[in-house]
């Protein structure tokens, strides 16, 4: 029986492992090799590529902006998604509301970019609304601020990320909330525990699995915001939203593959360490 189980285990695991090996691990191994060679001749040049990227101002700017974006967006997304899920959990008809939250995920990136452009460019809807509000109140005149060409573009990008990814966050939180036994909450209520105590001592401890999943997905998705930033402001946007993906794209266009490989290895290493750190933190809390 044990041999039969192992046979089925290897039968199901092997195709996936081979796919990961061929399409992920081997190509990444080639990237690691290229990070120690020159782009044109392929000659070994040690760690010169790594020294070059860490002395590159564009790389430093892109790394700083990417980390800033990640550390701003993830707490906001997790918190707003949790609050929204708590409110929706009290409603009876949650299915159609969940569909509305998931709708942004189904929209093409180009459509989302067009919406944000129409809303935030100089003659966009937001400036038009502010101008009409100022005209009505008499406090200010017409507003023609360029949100996408100034440092305000960072917050536009944050809003776009949260709006697009709120759906799956709410659904995952709702799944966790619905998995908490109602008898446990009712027993705590009978014992005199108020809403905040039930939330702190019962609800939150039972949502650790959902929190871990949401943080990992949000962390990975924060590195995919490049499409929106690129389509909105081009290859050289305002420096507040110049991300690592912009840098990779520009190096690829200029065929600076040696620097690109070194930066990719560093990025992959940071992602691996972050995910392993979250996993270790999760395992400690489970003990």
């Amino acid at each position: 029986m044990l041999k039969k189980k192992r046979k089925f285990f290897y039968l199901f695991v092997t195709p996936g492992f081979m796919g990961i090996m061929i399409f992920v691990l081997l190509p990444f191994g080639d990237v690691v090799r290229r990070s120690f060679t020159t782009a044109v001749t392929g000659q070994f040049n040690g760690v010169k590529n790594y020294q070059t990227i860490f002395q590159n101002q564009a790389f430093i700017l892109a790394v700083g902006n990417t980390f800033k974006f990640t550390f701003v967006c993830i707490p906001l997304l997790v918190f707003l998604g949790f609050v929204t899920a708590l409110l929706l959990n009290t409603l009876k008809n949650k299915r159609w509301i969940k569909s509305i939250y998931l709708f942004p995920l189904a929209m093409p990136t180009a459509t989302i970019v067009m919406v944000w452009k129409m809303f935030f460019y100089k003659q966009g809807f937001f400036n038009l609304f502010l101008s009409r509000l100022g005209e009505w109140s008499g406090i200010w005149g017409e507003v023609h601020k360029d949100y996408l060409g100034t440092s305000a573009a960072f917050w536009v990008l944050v809003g776009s990320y949260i709006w697009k990814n709120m759906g799956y966050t709410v659904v995952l939180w709702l799944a966790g909330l619905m998995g908490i036994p109602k008898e446990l909450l009712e027993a705590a209520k009978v014992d005199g525990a108020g809403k905040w105590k039930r939330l702190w001592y019962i609800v939150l401890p039972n949502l650790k699995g959902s929190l871990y999943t949401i943080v990992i997905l949000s962390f990975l998705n924060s590195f995919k915001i490049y499409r929106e930033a690129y389509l909105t402001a081009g290859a050289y946007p305002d420096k507040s939203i110049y991300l690592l993906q912009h840098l990779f794209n520009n190096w690829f266009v200029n065929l600076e593959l040696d620097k690109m490989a070194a930066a990719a290895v560093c990025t992959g290493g940071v992602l691996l360490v972050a995910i392993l750190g979250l996993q270790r933190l999760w395992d400690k809390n489970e003990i």
Side-chain angles (χ1 to χ4, degrees), residues 260-271:
M260 187 176 170
V265 171
C266 292
T267 304
V270 170
L271 286 173

Side-chain angles (χ1 to χ4, degrees), residues 1-277:
M1 188 67 180
L2 184 60
K3 288 183 178 180
K4 191 175 181 180
K5 286 184 177 179
R6 285 182 178 178
K7 182 180 178 181
F8 279 107
F9 173 78
Y10 290 123
L11 183 65
F12 283 105
V13 169
T14 301
F17 178 76
M18 291 301 294
I20 294 173
M21 178 67 72
I22 295 171
F23 297 107
V24 178
L25 296 181
L26 289 178
F28 188 74
D30 184 61
V31 170
V32 174
R33 181 187 65 81
R34 289 175 181 271
S35 69
F36 294 102
T37 62
T38 58
V40 179
T41 62
Q43 292 179 340
F44 181 79
N45 65 348
V47 295
K48 287 184 179 179
N49 293 334
Y50 293 92
Q51 292 175 346
T52 300
I53 64 170
F54 283 111
Q55 293 172 357
N56 188 294
Q57 293 300 317
F59 178 75
I60 295 172
L61 175 64
V63 169
N65 285 338
T66 302
F67 275 109
K68 178 184 176 183
F69 180 82
T70 300
F71 288 122
V72 168
C73 285
I74 291 180
L76 279 175
L77 182 62
V78 171
F79 176 74
L80 293 174
F82 178 66
V83 172
T84 305
L86 279 178
L87 295 175
L88 291 179
N89 197 45
T90 59
L91 302 178
K92 292 183 178 180
N93 299 320
K94 296 188 279 285
R95 292 184 179 179
W96 65 274
I97 299 178
K98 287 193 293 184
S99 300
I100 293 175
Y101 275 100
L102 288 172
F103 179 70
L105 284 173
M107 292 182 66
T109 303
T111 305
I112 296 173
V113 169
M114 186 178 295
V115 171
W116 289 107
K117 276 188 174 182
M118 291 173 62
F119 206 79
F120 287 109
Y121 81 114
K122 284 186 178 181
Q123 285 77 35
F125 296 129
F126 189 62
N127 280 339
L128 180 62
F129 168 75
L130 291 178
S131 297
R132 293 293 171 84
L133 184 63
E135 186 180 318
W136 173 76
S137 62
I139 299 176
W140 61 76
E142 291 189 1
V143 179
H144 297 290
K145 185 174 181 178
D146 183 12
Y147 298 97
L148 300 177
T150 62
S151 58
F154 176 81
W155 297 106
V156 173
L157 201 61
V158 168
S160 174
Y161 170 82
I162 292 175
W163 175 74
K164 186 174 182 180
N165 293 281
M166 178 71 82
Y168 76 82
T169 306
V170 171
V171 170
L172 289 173
W173 277 128
L174 279 174
L177 289 169
M178 293 172 68
I180 300 174
K182 292 183 179 180
E183 296 80 8
L184 193 62
L185 294 170
E186 290 174 359
K189 189 175 182 181
V190 171
D191 290 339
K195 288 184 178 180
W196 292 108
K197 284 189 175 181
R198 293 200 300 272
L199 176 66
W200 185 257
Y201 291 106
I202 297 177
V203 175
L204 290 178
N206 281 279
L207 292 177
K208 289 180 181 178
S210 300
L211 176 63
Y212 175 75
T213 303
I214 291 169
V215 169
I216 290 295
L217 289 175
S218 302
F219 180 69
L220 295 176
N221 284 332
S222 68
F223 283 81
K224 299 177 183 178
I225 197 67
Y226 163 71
R227 293 173 298 177
E228 286 82 353
Y230 181 81
L231 291 174
T232 301
Y236 296 95
D238 182 80
K239 66 178 184 178
S240 63
I241 58 170
Y242 189 78
L243 307 176
L244 274 173
Q245 296 92 333
H246 285 100
L247 187 68
F248 287 151
N249 177 75
N250 295 334
W251 278 347
F252 180 77
V253 171
N254 296 325
L255 296 178
E256 297 177 280
L257 302 182
D258 47 357
K259 292 193 293 185
M260 187 176 170
V265 171
C266 292
T267 304
V270 170
L271 286 173
L272 180 62
V273 169
I275 292 173
L276 291 177

